[in-house]
Amino acid sequence: MKPAPFAYIQPRTEAEALAALAEHGDDAVVLAGGLSLGAMMNMRLVFAGVVIDINQLTDLDYLRNEDDWLRTGAMLRQADALASPEIAGVLPLLHEGLRHVGHYQTRSRGTLGGSVAHADPSAEIPLCLATLGGDVELSSQRGTRRVAARDFAESALSTCRAGDELITALHWPIQGNGGVAFREIAQRHGDFAVVAVAATVRRSGAGFSYSLGFGGVEGRPRVLDGVAPDTNWGGFARDAVAAFVDTLAPMEDPRVSAAYRSDVSVHLGIETLLEALGKAA
Amino acid sequence: MTDVKRIGRDERVRVTCTVNGKRQSGFAEPRTLLSDFLRHELYLYGTHVGCEHGVCGACTVTLNGRLARSCMTFAVQAEGAAIGTVEGLSDAGTLNALQRAFTEFGALQCGFCTAGILISATHFLAKVPNPTEEDVRAMLSGHLCRCTGYEGMVRAILSVAESSS
Ligand code: FES
Ligand code: FES
């Protein structure tokens, strides 16, 4: 399987990349690590007139602390993010999520921005970003905007990014003390998750505020925000998770029925929420 | 913006890179896969091609120190880059310690998956010199082997880690 012919542009700066996107817009695809796009081009699920390769944009490979936010450049590689003590320290949910992203080999070149741009429904990085309430930064020659990660993906593999826009950074709110948990069920280690669940919990007043994100269930991450009581979580978690999963419309594919996805979501959701609550207490 | 590199869809350009420390060059169109470039332009047939969509790991090489699925990397991206392939592991035909361990522990049968796994394992041992068995198994999950059942590879990699620590 070889990709169909395309023209290749290799910008070296963000300005050059944005100029190329302004020129070719909807006929272009942006190539970051290439671990998803390459497969889709080889299988001819994606045809592009122009490939804009942003691997030379080393300016976008960074990690920066900005007040209560951690900002990651779009080209930060997944392996470097996983190895970062800073991320392990202030964004433990992302650290946990990254351990499930692809394989040792694919994380080496795979990027954070590329995963968000690709918007696979079961991808861990966009799930963590949505669960934490982070933002996606998009730039074009028209300007820069920040979109809430929860609104960025519209459906599977489809986002609100305009043809001339480039994801330049991800903004991660730092949560301070609390508990996080990340669990997923996949058919084999490193494979796409059937269901992935991310939880972040913080003490708030007499109880705990939490966000519980579900990946792989619908075409995009879905997040439940709520408040948990101080004790007796078991019954609470069962009811809250079951009621939320009931509102979802799980995907169906030849190997996984909607009913099974829904079941897994309930069980994994409860376990993940309880684990995070236990760590926060 | 005149100096931005652009290659037309039907254009064939010369790509020069350093493979296993040696400068090499060949021709590629934008859509030429790095795996095909290595095999058919540079005649380095050690890198194998299994699935061509990033799943099997047979085509794994290093590109500027990072592991890359060469089937999902375009040859034009390798211009000026340093590439490592299985041919670079042995020294003039003398197997290195990892290759010897693979032989000793029965870590290969048909050998189709082996080149990619040796490249991955070499990269992995440089990053994680004292891995647990679980670390090794997680790393190997990025490769498919239809013959061995992986057990020999796990033992070979652990034995190399132990003897060099
Ligand atoms: S041939 Fe590249 S991963 Fe299978
Ligand atoms: S030895 Fe045959 S596929 Fe691995």
Side-chain angles (χ1 to χ4, degrees), chain B:
Chain B
M1 300 293 152
T2 45
D3 58 342
V4 175
K5 184 199 269 187
R6 289 165 187 264
I7 307 171
R9 71 198 288 274
D10 298 318
E11 219 178 310
R12 232 172 119 70
V13 296
R14 181 175 282 282
V15 173
T16 305
C17 49
T18 305
V19 184
N20 303 323
K22 197 172 133 208
R23 250 171 87 89
Q24 303 251 45
S25 90
F27 286 90
E29 298 167 26
R31 71 175 184 137
T32 306
L33 303 176
L34 179 59
S35 44
D36 288 337
F37 178 79
L38 290 169
R39 292 174 56 86
H40 304 310
E41 285 288 311
L42 305 185
Y43 307 116
L44 293 169
Y45 294 113
T47 299
H48 290 174
V49 174
C51 67
E52 280 188 342
H53 62 274
V55 173
C56 74
C59 69
T60 305
V61 300
T62 59
L63 178 67
N64 291 333
R66 292 185 180 277
L67 291 173
R69 302 293 210 211
S70 61
C71 72
M72 299 211 297
T73 309
F74 300 113
V76 291
Q77 297 185 271
E79 172 65 40
I83 294 170
T85 70
V86 70
E87 286 91 347
L89 295 183
S90 61
D91 181 12
T94 308
L95 300 184
N96 74 10
L98 183 66
Q99 291 171 312
R100 284 199 308 275
F102 264 54
T103 326
E104 191 182 321
F105 288 92
L108 69 151
Q109 288 175 30
C110 78
F112 195 87
C113 66
T114 312
I117 292 174
L118 288 170
I119 290 289
S120 270
T122 304
H123 183 276
F124 171 76
L125 287 172
K127 294 255 179 204
V128 190
N130 294 303
T132 62
E133 178 175 335
E134 200 190 331
D135 294 336
V136 174
R137 287 185 183 276
M139 180 277 288
L140 284 172
S141 75
H143 291 274
L144 292 181
C145 173
R146 305 304 297 262
C147 302
T148 65
Y150 305 96
E151 195 58 37
M153 293 178 209
V154 174
R155 287 193 289 137
I157 294 166
L158 286 173
S159 86
V160 171
E162 272 156 34
S163 59
S164 58
S165 64

Side-chain angles (χ1 to χ4, degrees), chain A residues 3-260:
Chain A
F6 56 83
Y8 175 82
I9 302 182
Q10 188 188 61
R12 298 196 157 258
T13 64
E14 188 182 317
E16 288 176 356
L18 298 185
L21 278 164
E23 189 183 339
H24 298 284
D26 293 332
D27 192 30
V29 290
V30 176
L31 174 64
L35 281 312
S36 302
L37 181 62
M40 296 190 72
M41 290 180 68
N42 286 4
M43 292 191 277
R44 303 212 177 184
L45 296 170
V46 168
F47 294 91
V50 179
V51 168
I52 302 176
D53 176 8
I54 58 168
N55 279 281
Q56 306 296 321
L57 269 58
T58 44
D59 287 1
L60 293 186
D61 181 359
Y62 65 83
L63 177 73
R64 207 178 289 153
N65 229 306
E66 292 181 341
D67 302 320
D68 297 332
W69 295 78
L70 195 78
R71 178 182 163 131
T72 55
M75 287 302 289
L76 182 64
R77 308 282 174 175
Q78 294 157 4
D80 296 348
L82 181 57
S84 156
E86 179 140 36
I87 288 180
V90 300
L91 288 176
L93 183 65
L94 175 60
H95 179 81
E96 287 302 314
L98 280 164
R99 299 172 23 154
H100 295 270
V101 176
H103 302 280
Y104 177 80
Q105 295 76 7
T106 60
R107 291 191 295 263
S108 196
R109 272 173 64 79
T111 64
L112 265 54
S115 172
V116 170
H118 180 57
D120 187 286
S122 61
E124 293 84 359
I125 294 166
L127 172 62
C128 290
L129 192 64
T131 304
L132 290 167
D135 295 333
V136 180
E137 184 182 291
L138 294 151
S139 298
S140 69
Q141 288 190 331
R142 296 174 289 125
T144 294
R145 62 179 178 133
R146 259 170 88 155
V147 179
R150 293 182 186 186
D151 300 327
F152 180 68
E154 289 170 339
S155 57
L157 311 183
S158 154
T159 71
C160 68
R161 182 182 77 85
D164 64 342
E165 286 181 312
L166 178 70
I167 294 181
T168 41
L170 306 176
H171 296 265
W172 305 83
I174 292 170
Q175 300 260 296
N177 288 338
V180 300
F182 192 102
R183 295 186 181 211
E184 71 174 46
I185 301 280
Q187 294 195 327
R188 62 184 193 103
H189 187 98
D191 210 338
F192 294 104
V194 171
V195 175
V197 185
T200 172
V201 172
R202 259 191 302 185
R203 195 167 261 295
S204 124
F208 296 90
S209 64
Y210 68 87
S211 297
L212 188 67
F214 291 80
V217 185
E218 291 193 352
R220 62 198 182 109
R222 294 297 308 273
V223 185
L224 168 67
D225 297 306
V227 178
D230 194 31
T231 51
N232 290 325
W233 300 321
F236 164 79
R238 261 197 310 279
D239 294 347
V241 172
F244 181 67
V245 171
D246 221 33
T247 67
L248 303 179
M251 297 184 291
E252 175 128 338
D253 62 58
R255 288 189 295 184
V256 182
S257 69
Y260 177 70

